[in-house]
Amino acid sequence: MRIAVVGGGISGLVAAYRLRQRLGDSADIVVLEQGGRVGGVLHTRELAGEPVDLGAEAFVGRRPEVIELMSELGLDDQLVRPAGKRPLIWARGSAHPLPGRTLMGIPSDAESLRGLVDDATLDRVATEPRRPLRWEPGSDVDVQTLVGDRFGTQVVERSVDPLLGGVYAGVSASIGIRAALPTLAEALDNGAASLTEAIRAAMPAPSSAPVFGGLRDGYGALLAALTAASRARLVTTTAATRIAHAPGGWVVDPLGAVDAVVVATPAPVAARLLHYVAPAAARAAAGIELSSSALVAMALPRETALPDNSGILVATGEPLRAKAFTLSSRKWPHLAAREVALVRASFGRLGDDTPLSWTDDDLIAAAVADLATVTGIPITPLEAVVQRWPGGLPQYAPGHTERIATLESAVASLDGLAVAGAYLHGVGVPACVASGTAAAGRISADLASADHG
């Protein structure tokens, strides 16, 4: 029995591992990856002699998937938690505390925004419950339109955009309420009389559990353990060029005949591969936009007087090139113990890919200059590395949930084919783990049904 997993990102590697668990040692599981390494946008490299993540560096710790996977793979000792410090927001040329009591930056009260927005905006937020709210249950709209209409542009640019940018590398105009903030959509569907009321209903219940987790030695430790446990054949620098029906199975070029296939690629690649076998699914995937970004990781002298915060998020419209800084040595206790201070600077938003075309030296210079601006201190890196992420993150635009329902419905009738990836049900690592697990479950069920058919 031969299974192809197209795409060696976290979703594909989890699918390969789960297939190995379900199908046993005899299955020939082949992972086709067009790049030179597996892991996709999870990538760990060395900086100042120790590992550092140059893609995602955390996961939502209140979801169980990553923690359970780490435990299965014997990586319990790799689990680390952040220090609990909060980020700052850089707006109007100065740093402000991140507002509390928000849902992805959307406030539940006006007072939390004091100092970040002007008095007129504070009054607009405070009086929002008195203005009639029109919402059609089941409808969808981009975050900017809804929040801008109810709370004003300053709330969008200074509170919402910086947080959404960190998750999607996009802006609120490119992100739909229903896919990105499902609890808010549910509260609106249930008849909330105002956005304020809906936000309060949608906020997660108070919890003492840590919100985030990470890996002590970076995501590279998880990728290595997954790869080993899957015992899959890894074929890198090789792109799948075609998927077609075959008697009793499928053909994946250039691999050849297989019994089943998991398509765990970014949306545009999935659209191309599904074009002939599932045209409706391909059309749905082709409509998903991707944003690009670049990251500069810097090792600074340990005594550098960085703010005692987890990071600095940059409001929309500020005359800075970087969109955010992670003060890694402040955020993570295990990194604070190192001999250097670690900072990550992020560049690029949806519709602005220009930082990806800059040289490494230009990106590093921009990171140094902007970090000096927002901290007010001299920045002298001992070492720096650059990582570019072209098309790194899908954008969950309005209508995304319907688009994905169409895609999955079109694929559901095709025995032995499943899809997985960050463009389906969440861009975070836990959602990708769940996606790969679900794809493997579908394939193994199809194969079992065929055996008994």
Side-chain angles (χ1 to χ4, degrees), residues 9-10 13-14 17 69 73 75 221-231:
I10 184 67
L13 291 179
V14 168
Y17 167 62
L69 181 62
L73 296 169
L75 299 177
L222 177 61
L223 298 174
L226 261 181
T227 302
S230 75
R231 301 189 300 286

Side-chain angles (χ1 to χ4, degrees), residues 319-403:
L320 295 177
R321 291 148 297 183
K323 67 175 185 181
F325 299 92
T326 304
L327 306 180
S328 305
S329 295
R330 299 283 190 253
K331 182 175 181 178
W332 298 100
H334 72 288
L335 298 180
R338 294 190 181 178
E339 294 303 311
V340 294
L342 297 172
V343 177
R344 303 184 346 150
S346 301
F347 296 83
R349 296 181 191 271
L350 182 70
D352 180 17
D353 296 347
T354 51
L356 275 75
S357 67
W358 300 349
T359 67
D360 286 5
D361 287 346
D362 286 344
L363 276 167
I364 293 167
V368 169
D370 285 357
L371 183 58
T373 296
V374 299
T375 60
I377 59 174
I379 300 298
T380 53
L382 303 171
E383 192 179 329
V385 292
V386 172
Q387 178 68 46
R388 293 170 180 80
W389 295 115
L393 282 173
Q395 300 300 288
Y396 280 35
H400 184 81
T401 52
E402 293 178 3
R403 183 186 301 279

Side-chain angles (χ1 to χ4, degrees), residues 406-445:
T406 298
L407 188 158
E408 291 182 327
S409 175
V411 170
S413 61
L414 301 173
D415 286 346
L417 187 144
V419 293
Y423 67 92
L424 294 171
H425 299 289
V427 298
V429 179
C432 291
V433 172
S435 173
T437 297
R442 172 174 157 76
I443 293 298
S444 56

Side-chain angles (χ1 to χ4, degrees), residues 37-124:
R37 60 170 187 84
V38 295
V41 295
L42 302 183
H43 188 30
T44 306
R45 281 177 56 185
E46 199 171 90
L47 178 63
E50 297 195 70
V52 62
D53 278 318
L54 299 182
E57 45 112 46
F59 56 84
V60 175
R62 291 176 182 171
R63 285 191 61 154
E65 292 91 347
V66 176
I67 293 173
E68 290 176 355
L69 181 62
M70 289 172 64
S71 185
E72 284 181 46
L73 296 169
L75 299 177
D76 286 325
D77 63 336
Q78 284 281 342
L79 178 63
V80 291
R81 299 291 193 176
K85 301 180 191 299
R86 290 178 63 79
L88 298 168
I89 291 183
W90 183 262
R92 295 180 299 163
S94 62
H96 306 264
L98 178 76
R101 305 183 299 281
T102 76
L103 185 71
M104 198 63 78
I106 310 173
S108 59
D109 62 74
E111 196 55 37
S112 64
L113 298 168
R114 188 168 297 281
L116 182 63
V117 300
D118 62 23
D119 288 345
T121 300
L122 286 177
D123 183 66
R124 184 169 179 173

